[in-house]
Amino acid sequence: MNADSIDRPNSRSLEIIFKEHLDNTIECSKALSELFLNLEEPDQYISKIKQLEEKGDRLTAEAYGSPEVLTYSESVYITEQLIKHFDDIVDGINNTGRLIDICQPRQIENAAHDILSTLIAMIENLQLEIAPYPDIELASIRECCKTLKVSEENADLIYHEWRKKQRRDLVLSLIEENNWTEIMGVLEQTTDAAYHAGLSLERIVRYRQK
């Protein structure tokens, strides 16, 4: 028994925390999907997203304080990067909900729904990869990262094509266009965080196989 275990008698393993973090993130992303379908009465969904984001913050803090992070100093940096990216994903979802609360859009843009669907699929891919943690196969996580990269690029393309269409066809009013540009910009950046989480997980797997 070391000092960390004495100070944290109820500490949980990263394996448990990571899985719970991604489960919570999936729930948060699906709450955002519900918000997209209920823009006329958004408050309960925005509140739910915020509650789940706060749970994500607690899980992030727990992961940073895990004896596994504190003890094995040589792998601290890459593990902390993975934790940060997990936190960035749920923060991005919450920030999207907060922007909807601020902007109060009247109807959903199909491109926003498509980017969110892409993000949810990326989180589900991360869930599958984290399931056997820490015994993740290198070939599997490498293939996952390729899939995540394609998804991230697809989200970027959806966002780009949507913006191009707005400027060329003047589909929305200027205010509505600016609102959705900001909302979808945050959502697209969140797919970047999901991809970077995959890269960090691959680094951890490669480190463990040294």
Side-chain angles (χ1 to χ4, degrees):
M1 179 178 293
N2 57 33
D4 291 327
S5 62
I6 293 173
D7 293 338
R8 297 172 177 80
N10 298 317
S11 60
R12 300 188 297 170
S13 68
L14 286 178
E15 175 184 0
I16 294 172
I17 299 169
F18 285 164
K19 290 174 183 177
E20 187 172 338
H21 212 318
L22 287 175
D23 288 346
N24 181 71
T25 304
I26 278 289
E27 190 176 353
C28 192
S29 64
K30 290 183 177 178
L32 181 59
S33 183
E34 291 174 354
L35 173 59
F36 279 2
L37 299 175
N38 294 276
L39 293 177
E40 69 284 354
E41 296 181 354
D43 291 352
Q44 63 175 312
Y45 304 102
I46 292 170
S47 177
K48 182 178 180 180
I49 291 167
K50 180 59 179 174
Q51 290 171 6
L52 292 166
E53 185 270 339
E54 289 172 348
K55 180 179 178 181
D57 283 345
R58 292 192 295 272
L59 290 166
T60 295
E62 184 181 2
Y64 277 128
S66 168
E68 293 171 74
V69 174
L70 299 176
T71 303
Y72 302 109
S73 59
E74 64 273 15
S75 64
V76 164
Y77 177 75
I78 53 177
T79 303
E80 287 184 342
Q81 286 298 300
L82 177 60
I83 296 167
K84 179 184 181 299
H85 294 317
F86 281 170
D87 191 58
D88 287 343
I89 298 170
V90 75
D91 282 349
I93 295 168
N94 180 58
N95 289 338
T96 304
R98 293 183 69 181
L99 280 171
I100 288 176
D101 188 32
I102 293 168
C103 299
Q104 295 288 299
R106 292 175 292 181
Q107 62 182 27
I108 189 67
E109 286 293 303
N110 288 335
H113 177 77
D114 291 343
I115 295 173
L116 178 56
S117 296
T118 300
L119 175 62
I120 292 174
M122 294 174 79
I123 301 167
E124 289 173 341
N125 283 333
L126 288 169
Q127 276 187 308
L128 290 174
E129 288 305 311
I130 210 72
Y133 182 91
D135 300 318
I136 300 171
E137 294 292 334
L138 183 57
S140 178
I141 185 58
R142 281 179 171 169
E143 191 62 31
C144 176
C145 285
K146 291 179 183 178
T147 300
L148 293 174
K149 180 59 176 174
V150 170
S151 296
E152 184 273 326
E153 290 175 345
N154 184 55
D156 182 67
L157 179 62
I158 293 169
Y159 180 55
H160 175 78
E161 291 298 321
W162 178 86
R163 293 200 66 191
K164 186 167 66 174
K165 181 178 180 180
Q166 302 312 308
R167 293 303 174 91
R168 291 182 177 181
D169 299 340
L170 300 176
V171 179
L172 300 174
S173 70
L174 183 59
I175 292 176
E176 289 174 320
E177 179 189 341
N178 286 339
N179 287 344
W180 276 111
T181 295
E182 189 171 3
I183 292 167
M184 282 194 276
V186 170
L187 197 56
E188 191 280 322
Q189 289 173 5
T190 307
T191 66
D192 293 350
Y195 171 56
H196 291 142
L199 292 179
S200 292
L201 187 57
E202 181 184 345
R203 287 188 66 193
I204 290 172
V205 172
R206 285 193 283 110
Y207 179 85
R208 287 178 175 273
Q209 293 187 359
K210 282 184 178 179

